Amino acid sequence: MDIIDSIILGIIQGLTEFLPVSSSGHLEIGKAILGDNLVPEESLLFTVVLHFATALSTMVVFRKDILDIIKGILKFQWNEDMQFFTKIVISMIPAVIIGYNYESQLAELFGGNIQLVGYMLLLTAFLLYLADKAKDTNKKVSFKNALVIGFAQAIAMLPGISRSGATISTSVLLGNDKTKAARFSFLMVVPLIFGKIAKDVLSGDITYDSSNFTSLSLGFIAAFVTGLFACTWMIALVKKSKLSYFALYCIVVGIIAIIYSYSAG
């Protein structure tokens, strides 16, 4: 992969992992425009590197929260931190089940399926619009909410549906505080990302070519730096009810993707 291409895709991943516009959808669009000439094994490695970068940026932004949760767990008491951790585990269940049982079917939906990405971006826009109109509250995410949000995260495995957009919107529509919804959304995905990375690495399907070191490194740095910015920015935007702007963006990009898919076909 060209160095410029890897940086561009890294920036796309870093921004869209947190902004509610679908990282998977934008990566598919980006690859289609730039021309994805990677073999599957190389593409998988690049994807793993970018996801590791954004997971790391999440941990940096929420480092205090994560440390507090770890300290709370180590007390071995049913305290607030242990309850929050339990909610995170509950939220992971739907995605783990669907990902484990339907991984190959989901993989077939990727690989330049721009038309699907376009329609799913329109769905994302609808969810964001609804969430932006919801009234703000002081309500925390409940155990039942965590499971429902987990189903939203599982549905967001489809290319074009924003994971952060789907989970934050679902949480807000359930009546939860917008800032707490964003915090839960970003923290709930960290264990899943590291679990997926471990699975991909242990599968033996990844091949590494030392000639790609520079491209991989620059892609990682681009995703990490932009991820730090996007994660922090997104929290502020959710709190200020600015999701409608992203809804409009998703509509525009979704329509363009659909038109592009028909013209290319």
Side-chain angles (χ1 to χ4, degrees):
M1 174 176 284
D2 294 335
I3 291 177
I4 299 299
D5 289 353
S6 65
I7 293 175
I8 291 174
L9 291 176
I11 293 173
I12 291 174
Q13 170 66 22
L15 288 176
T16 58
E17 177 65 34
F18 301 102
L19 301 182
V21 293
S22 177
S23 60
S24 60
H26 276 71
L27 281 177
E28 290 301 307
I29 294 173
K31 289 179 182 179
I33 294 174
L34 296 174
D36 184 10
N37 57 358
L38 291 175
V39 297
E41 293 80 5
E42 292 174 334
S43 182
L44 179 59
L45 174 60
F46 189 68
T47 300
V48 166
V49 168
L50 294 189
H51 278 95
F52 178 69
T54 50
L56 194 59
S57 64
T58 306
M59 295 180 69
V60 171
V61 172
F62 289 99
R63 58 190 180 278
K64 184 179 183 302
D65 300 75
I66 293 173
L67 285 174
D68 287 342
I69 292 171
I70 293 174
K71 290 177 182 177
I73 293 173
L74 293 177
K75 291 180 181 178
F76 300 103
Q77 299 173 356
W78 190 241
N79 52 36
E80 187 174 345
D81 293 313
M82 178 62 81
Q83 291 177 35
F84 187 85
F85 174 73
T86 304
K87 293 172 187 176
I88 293 289
V89 174
I90 291 173
S91 73
M92 293 168 54
I93 294 173
V96 170
I97 292 175
I98 292 176
Y100 180 80
N101 291 291
Y102 300 100
E103 183 177 16
S104 59
Q105 290 89 334
L106 287 169
E108 292 175 0
L109 297 176
F110 291 81
N113 198 342
I114 304 302
Q115 185 177 139
L116 175 62
V117 169
Y119 284 116
M120 293 301 100
L121 280 171
L122 296 182
L123 177 58
T124 295
F126 179 67
L127 289 172
L128 293 174
Y129 175 79
L130 291 179
D132 212 36
K133 300 301 178 184
K135 294 181 179 180
D136 203 3
T137 68
N138 292 317
K139 181 183 174 184
K140 297 180 180 179
V141 176
S142 67
F143 290 98
K144 183 179 179 180
N145 289 166
L147 183 60
V148 176
I149 298 168
F151 278 109
Q153 178 168 249
I155 294 172
M157 295 170 76
L158 294 171
I161 296 185
S162 166
R163 193 209 63 82
S164 62
T167 53
I168 292 174
S169 295
T170 299
S171 184
V172 170
L173 290 172
L174 288 171
N176 295 306
D177 174 80
K178 292 180 179 180
T179 302
K180 292 183 176 67
R183 175 176 176 263
F184 187 80
S185 171
F186 293 144
L187 288 175
M188 69 187 281
V189 75
V190 173
L192 278 179
I193 291 178
F194 281 111
K196 182 65 167 60
I197 290 174
K199 182 179 181 298
D200 290 336
V201 171
L202 294 174
S203 69
D205 294 331
I206 296 178
T207 58
Y208 171 70
D209 186 343
S210 58
S211 63
N212 292 327
F213 177 78
T214 302
S215 295
L216 289 170
S217 299
L218 292 176
F220 174 89
I221 294 172
F224 175 73
V225 173
T226 53
L228 289 175
F229 164 76
C231 185
T232 306
W233 187 34
M234 183 59 186
I235 296 170
L237 290 173
V238 173
K239 187 176 182 179
K240 295 177 182 178
S241 298
K242 301 293 185 181
L243 295 179
S244 57
Y245 295 108
F246 292 102
L248 180 60
Y249 173 83
C250 287
I251 290 173
V252 173
V253 176
I255 292 174
I256 293 174
I258 292 170
I259 295 174
Y260 176 84
S261 67
Y262 280 112
S263 62

